[in-house]
Amino acid sequence: MEDKRQIVDNLVLELRRGTLVLSVLSQLVAPQYGYSLVESLETKGIHIDPGTLYPLLRRLEKQELLQSEWETSGPKPRKYYILSVLGKEVYQELCNEWLELNKSIMAIL
Amino acid sequence: MEDKRQIVDNLVLELRRGTLVLSVLSQLVAPQYGYSLVESLETKGIHIDPGTLYPLLRRLEKQELLQSEWETSGPKPRKYYILSVLGKEVYQELCNEWLELNKSIMAIL
DNA sequence: TGAATATACTGTATGTCACACACTATTGTC
DNA sequence: GACAATAGTGTGTGACATACAGTATATTCA
């Protein structure tokens, strides 16, 4: 038998899970690199583990929702990501779906 | 390379995934059986496949968020579920977390 | 009447996907 | 040398979708 705290935490985890992609896409209208994403989302109350983000970014790039570019002129090499055209479209649709879903949930609570 | 429709569908799936438990819990302030749950949620714009719901109900019962009772006096045996005390508490917390999350997401969109 | 079909209802098994977590590795900076 | 910045990998677990199985009642229709 699990304890209550753990059950809740787990469910919250599941809740936030699906919103991660949405969060990430929303930030990439302007180019950002992984580490900066982690930080900027953190300030907005959305925690994402680097070990979660990096594979996510790669996956989104493979799906062609993102484009990336290495920036090597600075002191440390950084990989910048930004939304592709397809990414923008998908992001838009996802936003709409979120609003829909939100409406449904609010209605039943 | 996947096509756009499929990518979006998949992401939407992920979005709704975490909200399933919340939806189900919200309906079980009054006793309901599986099939009635599927239908009542459907009318509220939340689709859940029976094959998804039944295992979910059993899982929630195992976690002691739900209690169940067979109703055998009717023409067909039905298994009624309702929130336990623990379930109500968890539901409350989950609601709050949802509202929090919602605020965060709305802020970044 | 009786057979076929639909529908209500509960359940199981398997596959896939995605994240958390813990880890490695590198390069600057104080 | 320690710490921050930055990127990455690999494994395990959890959860849902999908498809399938099965029973009982109601309905249709020849």
Side-chain angles (χ1 to χ4, degrees):
Chain A
M1 174 167 34
E2 309 163 70
D3 111 300
K4 179 180 161 191
R5 178 85 268 128
Q6 196 185 332
I7 294 181
V8 173
D9 285 349
N10 209 30
L11 291 175
V12 171
L13 208 67
E14 282 300 313
L15 259 188
R16 300 176 37 179
R17 211 174 168 124
T19 67
L20 275 187
V21 172
L22 187 57
S23 305
V24 168
L25 291 183
S26 77
Q27 299 305 111
L28 290 179
V29 289
Q32 288 210 61
Y33 54 99
Y35 196 83
S36 70
L37 258 176
V38 171
E39 294 204 312
S40 70
L41 284 175
E42 193 74 48
T43 67
K44 287 163 185 165
I46 298 172
H47 173 75
I48 183 170
D49 195 279
T52 299
L53 180 61
Y54 287 113
L56 178 59
L57 287 173
R58 289 153 143 324
R59 187 182 111 231
L60 294 176
E61 185 179 18
K62 200 163 115 205
Q63 290 177 324
E64 303 184 3
L65 303 186
L66 299 181
Q67 293 167 336
S68 73
E69 199 177 334
W70 279 99
E71 168 64 52
T72 48
S73 65
K76 308 181 88 169
R78 293 165 167 173
K79 197 171 182 181
Y80 278 85
Y81 290 90
I82 192 170
L83 285 181
S84 67
V85 174
L86 178 60
K88 282 180 193 155
E89 292 173 15
V90 168
Y91 173 57
Q92 268 312 313
E93 294 200 27
L94 209 54
C95 277
N96 292 335
E97 292 288 349
W98 166 262
L99 295 177
E100 280 300 311
L101 181 63
N102 194 36
K103 230 190 304 180
S104 296
I105 300 289
M106 285 306 184
I108 65 174
L109 291 194
Chain B
M1 175 170 29
E2 310 163 69
D3 108 303
K4 178 181 161 189
R5 177 87 266 129
Q6 196 186 331
I7 293 180
V8 173
D9 285 349
N10 209 31
L11 291 175
V12 171
L13 209 68
E14 283 299 314
L15 257 189
R16 299 178 37 179
R17 196 176 261 229
T19 67
L20 277 186
V21 172
L22 187 57
S23 307
V24 169
L25 292 183
S26 77
Q27 299 301 298
L28 289 178
V29 286
Q32 288 211 62
Y33 54 99
Y35 195 82
S36 71
L37 257 177
V38 171
E39 293 203 313
S40 70
L41 284 174
E42 191 74 48
T43 68
K44 288 163 184 165
I46 298 173
H47 174 74
I48 182 170
D49 194 278
T52 299
L53 180 61
Y54 288 111
L56 178 59
L57 287 174
R58 263 182 284 139
R59 188 181 111 232
L60 294 177
E61 186 180 16
K62 201 164 113 206
Q63 292 178 322
E64 303 184 3
L65 303 186
L66 300 181
Q67 292 167 336
S68 73
E69 198 177 332
W70 279 99
E71 167 65 53
T72 49
S73 65
K76 311 180 82 169
R78 289 165 169 173
K79 196 171 184 181
Y80 278 84
Y81 290 90
I82 192 169
L83 285 182
S84 67
V85 175
L86 178 61
K88 281 178 194 157
E89 292 174 14
V90 168
Y91 173 56
Q92 269 312 313
E93 295 200 26
L94 209 53
C95 276
N96 292 335
E97 292 286 349
W98 166 262
L99 294 177
E100 280 300 312
L101 179 64
N102 195 36
K103 230 189 304 180
S104 295
I105 301 288
M106 285 308 185
I108 64 173
L109 292 194

